[in-house]
Amino acid sequence: MIFYLAIAATTTGLAVFVRTVPESWENGYGYGQVSRQQACNGLCLFSIFAILFAVSACRLNVGNDYAKYVEFMHLIACDAYSYVPTEAGFNALVTILYELSGSENFLLVFAVFAFFTLWFFLKAMYVQSDSFGWSFFLFMTFGFYFSTFNTVRYYFALALALYSIQYVLKGEWGKFILIVLLGSGFHKSLLVVVPLYFLASLAWKKWQLGLMALFCTTFFFLQDFYLKAVVFLYPSYEDTEYLEGGVSWFNILRCLGVLVFSMRYYKQAIEGSKRNRFYFFCNLGALALYTCCSFLPIITRIGYYLNVTQILLIPAVLVKMEDKRKRRFWEAALFLAAAGYFALYLLRAGNDGIRVLPYQTFMFHDMVPILSDVN
């Protein structure tokens, strides 16, 4: 736990020094020249990436499904595709990397996923956030980084989803769809962001929100229908524990907190901003999913495609506060709330379903036997 706290503190300290520099080079620097801030940005971002990548790539048997993924990769190497539920993109990547390395090098596969997942997360925050330091702090304290140790396919898709939002806001739907299709080759749940992000991009009126709330009530008395739809999309979930839902109280409370905070400054920070309104509606949608669709499997994963925007929405509201005293108050309150959330996450980090503690590395530990080894 102390190791994770040190990683979070070090990288967040570096993130504070990152500032967005306009591409127009308004500070008077010409082509081929680099400002001090750009050099500082590059050094800090590289250091952050190097630290997080090293921690992620060097881990061994850290993550609730680490051994399961190693088993899947082994079956792919044996051409036993009928026994793995993973998508074609993941299967192809494993095959290519195993061929290049000449052995079942699962460490290389995890390292490749860590590289691209971190790159897209950091790039998305740098390009889209009003305050990279705040966004990165929330990225760490809300547990997004350490959660990438689990379900590596999904968190790669989540990073792509966050990165693709910029194209939704620009109306460049072709690029957005292309990124989603690419990511769905690794985790097909990413396809849900097409309708969800489209709905969040609309300028909803109050009566339209009322109709949507009325539609959400159908989830309470048509549960069998929606469960059958999930089984149709995920046949491997039939008659398994994956079909068991559950109320995600942590996500509900977090969404409520962010929405209440945002509503206090709705006219000032959100109403006139297409971008901030999109983030707000994403979180409103996430709250609706967590409260109305708790019976559905993987509802937490679907909700994360929406509430990951919290790391962009909170800084966007903070920078719009004109009263400096109020802004300092909210910064202190949000810092304490996020730190408290992180503490709770770390206390549960060794539990089944998370299991990112204790941290182990291939340099000092051996891989546990997988199912194929036991049989």
Side-chain angles (χ1 to χ4, degrees):
M1 184 181 297
I2 295 176
F3 176 64
Y4 285 174
L5 285 172
I7 292 298
T10 302
T11 52
T12 300
L14 290 167
V16 171
F17 295 100
V18 177
R19 299 284 189 277
T20 302
V21 177
E23 295 182 2
S24 57
W25 300 63
E26 295 175 350
N27 295 328
Y29 290 87
Y31 181 78
Q33 295 178 299
V34 178
S35 70
R36 285 185 180 181
Q37 186 59 59
Q38 287 174 311
C40 179
N41 288 351
L43 179 61
C44 290
L45 286 169
F46 175 80
S47 300
I48 291 169
F49 180 86
I51 293 170
L52 297 185
F53 173 71
V55 172
S56 185
C58 293
R59 77 188 194 279
L60 180 72
N61 200 31
V62 178
N64 191 58
D65 53 5
Y66 192 99
K68 185 181 293 185
Y69 264 100
V70 176
E71 171 73 12
F72 288 160
M73 294 177 205
H74 172 71
L75 293 173
I76 292 169
C78 297
D79 294 328
Y81 293 101
S82 58
Y83 295 98
V84 293
T86 49
E87 290 80 0
F90 177 82
N91 299 346
L93 179 64
V94 171
T95 301
I96 292 170
L97 292 178
Y98 275 19
E99 286 291 330
L100 291 175
S101 60
S103 63
E104 293 188 21
N105 193 344
F106 57 86
L107 291 172
L108 177 61
V109 178
F110 284 118
V112 168
F113 269 97
F115 183 94
F116 287 104
T117 300
L118 285 172
W119 191 90
F120 279 110
F121 267 127
L122 292 176
K123 181 69 173 179
M125 287 184 280
Y126 182 70
V127 171
Q128 298 176 85
S129 178
D130 288 322
S131 172
F132 180 85
W134 263 107
S135 288
F136 183 81
F137 170 70
L138 297 171
F139 172 70
M140 297 298 291
T141 54
F142 283 176
F144 286 113
Y145 166 67
F146 295 107
S147 294
T148 62
F149 296 174
N150 281 305
T151 323
V152 293
R153 293 161 36 248
Y154 169 75
Y155 278 93
F156 170 63
L158 183 63
L160 285 176
L162 186 67
Y163 180 79
S164 72
I165 288 174
Q166 59 185 303
Y167 299 114
V168 173
L169 298 174
K170 292 176 183 177
E172 298 178 1
W173 293 98
K175 293 180 180 179
F176 167 68
I177 295 295
L178 186 63
I179 291 174
V180 171
L181 290 177
L182 170 66
S184 67
F186 294 88
H187 206 282
K188 57 188 175 184
S189 68
L190 183 59
L191 293 171
V192 303
V193 304
V194 175
L196 291 178
Y197 284 2
F198 172 74
L199 291 173
S201 69
L202 301 176
W204 290 81
K205 294 180 173 57
K206 291 182 179 180
W207 66 269
Q208 293 172 323
L209 290 173
L211 287 178
M212 182 57 70
L214 189 62
F215 168 75
C216 287
T217 61
T218 64
F219 291 108
F220 293 110
F221 54 85
L222 291 177
Q223 293 186 6
D224 290 340
F225 169 78
Y226 288 116
L227 280 172
K228 288 179 181 178
V230 170
V231 172
F232 175 77
L233 293 173
Y234 291 89
S236 61
Y237 284 4
E238 190 170 9
D239 298 326
T240 68
E241 71 275 9
Y242 291 111
L243 280 184
E244 297 177 4
V247 179
S248 180
W249 291 110
F250 277 100
N251 283 306
I252 289 174
L253 292 174
R254 205 172 79 195
C255 283
L256 274 174
V258 171
L259 288 170
V260 170
F261 164 68
S262 302
M263 283 296 293
R264 290 180 63 90
Y265 296 92
Y266 189 85
K267 289 188 175 181
Q268 185 176 338
I270 296 173
E271 190 174 44
S273 171
K274 178 182 178 181
R275 181 190 60 169
N276 295 348
R277 192 170 61 240
F278 174 87
Y279 301 151
F280 180 85
F281 283 137
C282 277
N283 281 275
L284 188 61
L287 180 62
L289 288 177
Y290 288 133
T291 54
C292 301
C293 307
S294 60
F295 65 93
L296 290 175
I298 66 167
I299 195 61
T300 300
R301 294 181 184 179
I302 295 175
Y304 269 23
Y305 285 127
L306 297 172
N307 72 4
V308 71
T309 58
Q310 291 172 359
I311 67 176
L312 301 175
L313 175 60
I314 292 173
V317 175
L318 284 173
V319 300
K320 290 292 185 179
M321 294 183 186
E322 297 176 354
D323 190 319
K324 292 184 179 180
R325 292 180 62 183
K326 288 184 177 180
R327 185 167 66 223
R328 284 196 293 267
F329 166 79
W330 279 111
E331 286 176 340
L334 288 165
F335 176 85
L336 292 174
Y341 186 93
F342 187 47
L344 289 174
Y345 175 84
L346 290 180
L347 289 173
R348 300 167 59 246
N351 296 352
D352 290 339
I354 304 177
R355 223 182 62 75
V356 297
L357 281 176
Y359 182 78
Q360 297 180 343
T361 172
F362 68 86
M363 291 180 281
F364 304 109
H365 300 87
D366 295 321
M367 180 61 194
V368 298
I370 60 175
L371 186 61
S372 295
D373 295 331
V374 175
N375 294 336

